[in-house]
Amino acid sequence: MSDNSFPGWHGTTIVAVRKDGEVVIAGDGQVSLGQTVIKGSARKVRRLSPGGYDVLAGFAGSTADAFSLLERLETKLEATPGQLQRACVELAKDWRTDKYLQKLEAMLLVTDGDQLYVITGAGDVLEPEHNVAAIGSGGNFALAAARAMMDTDKSSEQVAREAMAIAADICVYTNGNLTVEKISK
């Protein structure tokens, strides 16, 4: 390396597809450091059940940072059972204003089967257009592929899996080891 800077972690593609009353979040398993694959089977999609309400979450970025954020989201969800939007906004406010949380480098994709949000450290709580959202290194590839398939007769899971396969074919930081979780409303 020509400079002494840390090359940075790369990896992860997470896509969420909402179609026909269900939402699927699919994530790959790749974690890379520079040009080296460190792990190919990481699990970056989780099912949370705070207060008895199921929520799916996928994360991209630093794993430790994402776990810290998921714990805080779970706490917010326990304080506001069944109110995903409120919990997400509260998390984003904390993330934006708290000195410790501001240093966290991750993004979250969350859903309760009805609502779907992307949460960022910039204070964003974004509800995607076109019922598709994606984050991570190959997120734009997966997003484009999924949007192209939304008007077909494919299920949300088929769209998510095929979009991830396309992203894995294009993005060197994405692989085909998928974790797929589904939730219906």
Side-chain angles (χ1 to χ4, degrees):
M1 290 177 35
S2 59
D3 64 352
N4 291 330
S5 67
F6 182 71
W9 293 90
H10 292 280
T12 305
T13 300
I14 307 291
V15 66
V17 177
R18 179 174 43 203
K19 188 174 182 186
D20 300 328
E22 67 182 16
V23 182
V24 170
I25 297 183
D28 79 320
Q30 185 163 313
V31 177
S32 304
L33 177 58
Q35 298 175 354
T36 305
V37 175
I38 301 298
K39 184 172 183 175
S41 60
R43 189 170 172 266
K44 302 169 198 164
V45 177
R46 306 260 192 251
R47 183 177 294 270
L48 310 172
S49 295
Y53 292 92
D54 278 345
V55 173
L56 300 181
F59 63 85
S62 168
T63 304
D65 291 356
F67 283 160
S68 294
L69 292 166
L70 288 175
E71 286 175 9
R72 289 194 180 245
L73 176 61
E74 205 160 12
T75 300
K76 300 290 183 190
L77 287 165
E78 288 170 353
T80 59
Q83 298 181 50
L84 181 63
Q85 182 178 32
R86 183 172 174 191
C88 291
V89 169
E90 291 299 319
L91 175 64
K93 286 188 332 192
D94 288 354
W95 193 355
R96 180 79 172 140
T97 59
D98 184 275
K99 296 285 185 205
Y100 165 74
L101 293 178
Q102 286 176 355
K103 296 178 183 352
L104 300 183
E105 297 181 5
M107 291 180 76
L108 301 177
L109 238 174
V110 298
T111 185
D112 61 0
D114 184 34
Q115 302 168 84
L116 175 61
Y117 299 107
V118 176
I119 310 170
T120 74
D124 298 316
V125 178
L126 306 169
E127 190 167 16
E129 295 179 338
H130 311 291
N131 294 311
V132 177
I135 58 175
S137 299
N140 287 336
F141 304 117
L143 178 67
R147 284 197 46 198
M149 290 184 269
M150 287 301 285
D151 290 332
T152 67
D153 60 353
K154 295 176 192 235
S155 70
S156 57
E157 184 171 348
Q158 289 171 316
V159 170
R161 285 183 181 277
E162 289 183 32
M164 289 296 295
I166 290 167
D169 284 346
I170 298 169
C171 178
V172 297
Y173 298 114
T174 304
N175 70 20
N177 293 334
L178 299 183
T179 301
V180 178
E181 291 281 350
K182 185 185 322 182
I183 191 169
S184 301
K185 268 293 176 177

